[in-house]
């Protein structure tokens, strides 16, 4: 979701991997690097406010701390791996999107199979698989000179995402524009470009996400209390937005 994403790795495993169908997430960031392989269908990727199209057989590499999101087509299957700096020297790609010249699709499937089965020595096997794949990619692709050309920082924007997640019940559009030191009109355009969503839509998703968390934690919570804790003004609006986003009523 729209926040700093914190990934928990298995003990001694230096990579996390998962495969998704129809992956659609909101703008987020994390400290880990990320490799994305489009195995079927296609996806639109936003990286630091720039949009790219990932077709079947394409890969994407994001350095850690870059703000991004992925919106796959309904028929898409996307493999995602996250990891730290596994190679001895930091590596940055000049172009974040590149064709799969490295058998990455099958190698990601092998990684995923190891992760799911967790057989003896699976940690060593997974670490070796991802390091080998990354070595091939960085040998074959054009590299950037340093991090500045491949990793523009949006520190203030990332701080805003954290604030919105922590205070989604009370943070307003005016608060956000002021925090970013932008006019409201410019901030509206900037936020839509960076996230792919309007500010109000983004906040509604965050609030519904909080409501789902609270429903899981507090079985006896009333709808009125739930609505208030998540920043909605009326039960009618809360019910409408919740069902629009999740497909289900809160009850």
């Amino acid at each position: 979701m729209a926040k700093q994403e914190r990934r928990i790795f298995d003990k001694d495993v230096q990579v996390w991997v998962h495969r998704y169908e129809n992956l659609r997430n909101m703008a987020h960031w994390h400290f880990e690097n990320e490799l994305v392989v489009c195995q079927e269908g296609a996806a639109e990727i936003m990286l630091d406010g720039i949009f790219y199209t990932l077709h079947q057989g394409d890969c994407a590499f994001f350095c850690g701390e870059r703000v991004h999101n992925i919106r796959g087509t309904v028929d898409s299957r996307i493999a995602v791996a996250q990891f730290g700096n596994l190679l001895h020297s930091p590596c940055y790609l000049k172009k974040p999107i590149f064709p799969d010249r490295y058998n990455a699709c099958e190698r990601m499937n092998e990684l995923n199979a190891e992760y799911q089965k967790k057989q003896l020595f699976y940690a060593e096997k997974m670490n070796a698989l991802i390091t080998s794949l990354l070595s091939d990619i960085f040998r074959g692709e054009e590299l950037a000179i340093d991090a500045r050309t491949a990793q523009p920082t949006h520190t203030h924007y990332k701080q805003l995402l954290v604030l919105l997640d922590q205070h989604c019940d009370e943070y307003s559009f005016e608060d956000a524009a002021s925090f970013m030191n932008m006019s409201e009109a410019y901030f509206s355009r900037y936020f839509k470009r960076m996230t792919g969503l309007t500010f109000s839509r983004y906040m509604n998703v965050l609030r519904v996400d909080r409501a789902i968390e609270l429903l899981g934690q507090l079985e006896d919570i009333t709808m009125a209390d739930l609505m208030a804790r998540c920043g909605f003004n009326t039960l009618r609006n809360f019910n409408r937005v919740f069902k629009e986003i999740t497909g289900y009523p809160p009850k």
Side-chain angles (χ1 to χ4, degrees):
M1 294 300 296
K3 61 180 100 174
Q4 178 189 349
E5 188 177 82
R6 294 176 176 86
R7 184 66 61 203
I8 298 175
F9 290 75
D10 286 2
K11 186 176 184 298
D12 298 325
V13 179
Q14 296 176 286
V15 57
W16 174 92
V17 64
H18 196 75
R19 291 189 303 172
Y20 299 91
E21 294 182 2
N22 188 25
L23 173 61
R24 301 173 74 84
N25 56 26
M26 293 180 64
H28 63 280
W29 66 279
H30 40 73
F31 287 110
E32 296 80 16
N33 301 313
E34 183 169 312
L35 177 65
V36 176
V37 180
C38 185
Q39 298 180 318
E40 295 178 19
E44 182 183 76
I45 287 181
M46 185 281 295
L47 182 62
D48 289 332
I50 301 173
F51 288 85
Y52 304 88
T53 301
L54 205 64
H55 298 287
Q56 182 174 336
D58 285 343
C59 304
F61 178 81
F62 313 142
C63 293
E65 298 190 50
R66 298 189 73 173
V67 178
H68 60 280
N69 76 331
I70 302 172
R71 300 180 67 81
T73 57
V74 292
D75 59 343
S76 62
R77 183 187 294 273
I78 294 170
V80 177
Q82 293 181 3
F83 41 85
N85 292 318
L86 299 177
L87 306 180
H88 288 302
S89 59
C91 296
Y92 312 100
L93 295 184
K94 196 163 189 179
K95 296 179 180 178
I97 310 297
F98 53 94
D100 182 7
R101 295 183 277 261
Y102 312 99
N103 201 26
C105 182
E106 288 75 14
R107 292 162 86 173
M108 291 284 271
N109 286 342
E110 188 177 0
L111 261 172
N112 187 67
E114 289 288 340
Y115 187 71
Q116 296 300 325
K117 294 177 182 176
K118 292 181 168 51
Q119 295 177 327
L120 190 63
F121 302 118
Y122 85 98
E124 290 82 354
K125 185 66 178 288
M126 288 186 68
N127 295 342
L129 284 169
I130 189 62
T131 303
S132 175
L133 176 54
L134 290 175
S135 299
D136 289 344
I137 289 171
F138 285 110
R139 279 178 174 177
E141 296 302 311
E142 187 177 0
L143 303 182
I145 297 173
D146 58 32
R148 288 188 297 274
T149 58
Q151 188 180 358
T153 58
H154 296 278
T155 304
H156 222 44
Y157 174 66
K158 288 185 289 187
Q159 291 172 347
L160 175 64
L161 292 186
V162 174
L163 281 173
L164 295 182
D165 180 60
Q166 293 174 342
H167 305 286
C168 64
D169 58 327
E170 59 183 359
Y171 218 81
S172 69
F173 175 83
E174 292 76 16
D175 292 334
S178 176
F179 179 83
M180 292 297 294
N181 197 27
M182 296 176 179
S183 71
E184 292 182 8
Y186 183 83
F187 173 72
S188 179
R189 294 192 298 271
Y190 173 84
F191 194 86
K192 178 72 180 291
R193 176 170 62 86
M194 292 296 289
T195 65
L197 298 173
T198 63
F199 183 83
S200 60
R201 174 70 175 178
Y202 186 92
M203 294 301 289
N204 279 341
V205 173
L206 282 183
R207 288 164 180 159
V208 168
D209 186 50
R210 175 173 290 185
I212 292 170
E213 271 186 31
L214 290 172
L215 283 169
Q217 296 168 0
L218 307 171
E219 294 182 2
D220 297 328
I221 192 170
T222 66
M223 288 298 107
D225 189 19
L226 183 64
M227 172 201 79
R229 291 198 192 193
C230 299
F232 290 95
N233 295 322
T234 67
L235 274 173
R236 182 178 179 183
N237 186 44
F238 172 57
N239 288 328
R240 179 185 61 80
V241 172
F242 192 100
K243 187 170 184 180
E244 177 189 327
I245 290 174
T246 68
Y248 299 94
K251 292 185 179 179

